[in-house]
Amino acid sequence: MPLEPAPLVDQLELFLAKPLRPLRGLLDSNRLQSDGGDLYDYKSRPYAVAGWILQPRVSLRARLIAGELLIEQVACRVDGLGEWQERLRFGLEARLRPAAIAPTALEAEALVWADLPGVAVLAAAPVLNLALQQLLDRLERRCQQGLRRRAEAWLGRAS
């Protein structure tokens, strides 16, 4: 969906140029902390997956490269997994940019992955798949709602 008011590509690039603007649309700003540079720490709210209460914590690097915001996870931890929390690795990489087809919209692309030790794959794979699907669903909602609202509010003030 196009943003309202309809922005120019330059305006969208200005919005993305300060990563904290879009990150606050994607993540709960009360749980997001900046180091003052391009690194951010985020502690998700706890959520339940198949009887487990999980709370991901991630460190992200966000920077504008060639007109698109690249968000990369640099560290992670999932509290609530007991002895497995030290063995589970997961990752996130996302890109936000003005949409090529509709230049009055933002386009988001995300890659999320997880890696478990071989012995845990059979037992934990169903729970992990469910947790990753919940994470992707949450990211999609935040792109469609939170990021959109944040961008439109900023565009309205910048006009």
Side-chain angles (χ1 to χ4, degrees):
M1 276 190 241
L3 297 169
E4 297 291 335
L8 301 171
V9 172
D10 293 349
Q11 290 174 304
L12 290 176
E13 288 178 357
L14 282 174
F15 173 71
L16 295 174
K18 293 210 176 197
L20 199 51
R21 289 178 190 140
L23 284 175
R24 284 184 173 156
L26 292 170
L27 303 168
D28 180 343
S29 58
N30 293 324
R31 298 178 175 278
L32 181 66
Q33 295 184 358
S34 171
D35 75 345
D38 63 357
L39 294 177
Y40 302 84
D41 289 318
Y42 182 72
K43 181 179 176 182
S44 175
R45 68 175 170 79
Y47 60 99
V49 177
W52 298 61
I53 304 296
L54 305 177
Q55 186 171 28
R57 298 171 185 232
V58 295
S59 292
L60 303 168
R61 175 174 289 119
R63 54 204 163 132
L64 193 69
I65 299 174
E68 75 178 24
L69 182 64
L70 176 61
I71 303 167
E72 302 168 290
Q73 176 187 297
V74 293
C76 67
R77 178 179 171 88
V78 180
D79 293 332
L81 288 176
E83 66 185 60
W84 293 105
Q85 64 195 29
E86 299 303 324
R87 297 180 193 169
L88 172 67
R89 293 189 327 237
F90 67 95
L92 167 72
E93 182 178 305
R95 296 174 186 275
L96 299 173
R97 61 186 161 263
I101 296 173
T104 60
L106 284 171
E107 179 177 80
E109 178 183 327
L111 171 66
V112 178
W113 58 268
D115 185 24
L116 281 174
V119 297
V121 170
L122 291 177
V127 172
L128 183 60
N129 285 336
L130 184 59
L132 287 176
Q133 188 57 53
Q134 284 185 2
L135 174 63
L136 289 172
D137 291 346
R138 185 185 293 178
L139 281 173
E140 184 176 354
R141 274 193 316 276
R142 290 190 174 168
C143 282
Q144 292 175 355
Q145 297 170 8
L147 180 60
R148 180 188 181 95
R149 278 193 305 268
R150 175 71 62 174
E152 288 177 342
W154 184 84
L155 289 165
R157 288 189 304 269
S159 300

